[in-house]
Amino acid sequence: MSVVSINAADENIAKKICKFPYIIEAGSNYIKHKNFVIIENNINVYKVYNDINNFKECVYKFNWAHDNLINFLTPTIIDSFVFENKGILKLKFIKKKNNQNIIEMLDVFFNIMTTIKNIEKIPHPNFFKSYELQSEYEKIFKDKNLILTHGDLNHKNIFKTEDNKIVIIDWDNLSLQPQKLVEHTTALYFLSHPDFHNKNFPSILKIVLDKFKNVTINKLINLSEKKYEISVTHFSKNFWKNMAERIKLV
Ligand SMILES: Nc1ncnc2c1ncn2[C@@H]1O[C@H](COP(=O)(O)OP(=O)(O)O)[C@@H](O)[C@H]1O
Ligand SMILES: [Mg+2]
């Protein structure tokens, strides 16, 4: 499952803590932070954190989400503990529905963004001194108006269950970010669904621009190019480069 190779010591953690067969998901978070995810037999999910302070922050964020996101499902925390100097967050696995209607998800993305932004009980301010790659994004979005955001609203982190409940996972990047950055990122991540990488892209982009009134084509291109520049895997590098090209063609 992993897109990057993971070292033997980390792989051993999975062997020691899992009773059932498991798969390991390691991607850019492994390259950037040595963090990875173990999915045990579609029963448990273990998020493994290399930095204990970051682990504590993330446990707090998952708890905060579970307490405050009333209209959406968020993972239930089963346990959190330190094991071989890694922070481990054990979550209940939530099963994804097979055939998702992607266009219908546009409203879902927009509603989630708006709901989180409007939550009054904001998390502890200590956890919001900065957001990941802040200095890079500030080069494009100088907006002083900060809003609360999930921080990684993409179609892998938002999905529906068989009984059509909307699930939001991966709360590690919950943060205060410039409103314009949040709007452009949410629109761009919606557009990044693999189903849209075809000749219908211009019409999907038009629907997205109708929904996100503050989003402009130029800034979407700037953001894609920035993501290309800061990507740590070849896969994401190519992905964001192609995305910028696709938008430029419209
Ligand atoms: N509670 C969960 N239920 C089902 N699948 C999950 C759950 N948590 C994580 N996953 C799966 O593991 C993947 C990686 O987990 P995620 O929390 O998004 O970590 P990352 O920070 O690496 O993106 C997700 O894309 C999803 O497929
Ligand atoms: Mg994720």
Side-chain angles (χ1 to χ4, degrees), residues 25-67:
E25 298 240 345
S28 57
N29 268 336
Y30 193 70
I31 298 175
K32 284 191 270 186
H33 311 293
K34 287 264 178 271
N35 292 349
F36 59 100
V37 173
I38 307 162
I39 302 174
E40 186 185 23
N41 212 20
N42 290 5
I43 304 170
N44 300 311
V45 174
Y46 300 87
K47 294 204 73 162
V48 182
Y49 298 88
N50 197 34
D51 179 290
I52 299 298
N53 285 328
N54 176 240
F55 159 67
K56 288 180 186 161
E57 274 181 31
C58 291
V59 173
Y60 176 90
K61 290 177 183 182
F62 271 83
N63 270 313
W64 179 90
H66 205 66
D67 293 345

Side-chain angles (χ1 to χ4, degrees), residues 154-156 185 187-198 201 220-221 223-229 231-247:
N154 67 65
H155 62 268
K156 285 190 181 161
T185 310
L188 191 66
Y189 278 175
F190 177 76
L191 285 166
S192 71
H193 194 281
D195 285 8
F196 301 152
H197 301 179
N198 55 30
F201 186 80
L220 282 179
I221 295 170
L223 186 57
S224 304
E225 287 175 339
K226 179 54 77 183
K227 286 186 169 289
Y228 162 68
E229 191 188 314
S231 287
V232 293
T233 66
H234 288 298
F235 173 79
S236 51
K237 254 203 166 342
N238 285 335
F239 182 89
W240 292 116
K241 190 184 172 103
N242 290 338
M243 175 64 92
E245 299 304 325
R246 254 198 303 274
I247 303 173

Side-chain angles (χ1 to χ4, degrees), residues 105-141:
M105 290 300 274
L106 180 60
D107 283 336
V108 173
F109 270 62
F110 192 85
N111 291 344
I112 290 173
M113 183 188 84
T114 312
T115 304
I116 295 177
K117 166 187 156 187
N118 290 331
I119 292 178
E120 278 173 9
K121 191 182 161 238
I122 75 151
H124 199 284
N126 281 357
F127 297 145
F128 295 98
K129 289 188 208 93
S130 64
Y131 51 92
E132 196 166 64
L133 296 163
Q134 176 162 354
S135 58
E136 293 297 335
Y137 291 124
E138 276 173 353
K139 290 176 192 160
I140 323 175
F141 297 98

Side-chain angles (χ1 to χ4, degrees), residues 25 29 37 39 45 47 62 75 91-95 152 156-157 159 169-170 172:
E25 298 240 345
N29 268 336
V37 173
I39 302 174
V45 174
K47 294 204 73 162
F62 271 83
L91 305 166
K92 204 166 149 183
F93 180 87
I94 305 171
K95 195 170 183 303
D152 197 9
K156 285 190 181 161
N157 291 337
F159 55 85
I169 63 166
D170 196 358
D172 298 2

Side-chain angles (χ1 to χ4, degrees), residues 171-223:
W171 288 89
D172 298 2
N173 295 300
L174 181 68
S175 47
L176 287 170
Q177 297 185 11
Q179 175 157 348
K180 288 230 164 66
L181 171 62
V182 174
E183 289 168 341
H184 281 79
T185 310
T186 310
L188 191 66
Y189 278 175
F190 177 76
L191 285 166
S192 71
H193 194 281
D195 285 8
F196 301 152
H197 301 179
N198 55 30
K199 57 182 176 351
N200 290 330
F201 186 80
S203 59
I204 304 293
L205 177 57
K206 189 179 175 304
I207 295 170
V208 170
L209 293 175
D210 280 346
K211 186 86 194 172
F212 289 81
K213 304 282 183 218
N214 296 325
V215 166
T216 68
I217 288 196
N218 279 343
K219 287 278 185 228
L220 282 179
I221 295 170
N222 294 157
L223 186 57

